[in-house]
Amino acid sequence: MHSEELEIRTGSSEVVRDLTRDCARFLESAGAEDGLLNVWVPHATAGLAIIETGAGSDDDLLAALRELLPADDRWRHRHGSPGHGRDHVMPALVPPYATVPVLGGRMALGTWQSVCLVDTNGDNAARTVRLSFLAG
């Protein structure tokens, strides 16, 4: 198994950050052939999604999360900025992990799929992402 940690600056706004190039660089440096890429975010308020980016789907995902999980005072978890409790519920919908098949050293993603970090928590400006390659 080969692993690496990335620090991703997400800033103080909701963000969908495309990690696909970072994942590809990691696989190249790991000398990956066939196996599985596991992507893990060790945070209680961030997740990973495999979605299309650049055509509005990333913004649509954030809009859907705002609609499903409004940043208001309904949440029992109340530390941090107003509505922060929703950030702790978000990983139940957008999980903190993703596993992608790797064939010939490349992720077997569909044409429009990207591996993305989803962070709705403006209170935490930096995220750790752990990449692990398991050879098959």
Side-chain angles (χ1 to χ4, degrees):
M1 182 168 84
H2 186 81
S3 292
E4 179 179 306
E5 281 190 353
L6 307 174
E7 183 173 319
I8 307 295
R9 304 288 307 165
T10 56
S12 60
S13 310
E14 298 175 329
V15 66
V16 174
R17 176 71 50 85
D18 191 339
L19 302 175
T20 309
R21 287 188 180 139
D22 297 300
C23 292
R25 278 192 290 274
F26 164 73
L27 291 170
E28 185 177 328
S29 73
E33 284 299 320
D34 293 351
L36 296 172
L37 171 65
N38 183 261
V39 187
W40 170 252
V41 180
H43 298 283
T45 59
L48 294 158
I50 297 179
I51 62 169
E52 178 181 10
T53 60
S57 297
D58 36 358
D59 292 330
D60 289 342
L61 174 58
L62 292 174
L65 289 171
R66 281 191 297 274
E67 188 173 319
L68 288 169
L69 305 170
D72 57 22
D73 65 355
R74 73 183 70 203
W75 309 103
R76 289 183 183 96
H77 188 106
R78 294 184 185 264
H79 78 83
S81 60
H84 174 65
R86 70 145 188 165
D87 299 324
H88 287 274
V89 175
M90 193 271 301
L93 302 175
V94 181
Y97 56 85
T99 302
V100 180
V102 176
L103 302 172
R106 298 177 56 114
M107 289 176 285
L109 293 170
T111 302
W112 304 111
Q113 290 180 314
S114 296
V115 179
C116 297
L117 172 66
V118 181
D119 187 1
T120 59
N121 180 3
D123 294 342
N124 191 346
R127 298 300 183 155
T128 299
V129 177
R130 175 171 285 283
L131 304 174
S132 300
F133 175 69
L134 303 153

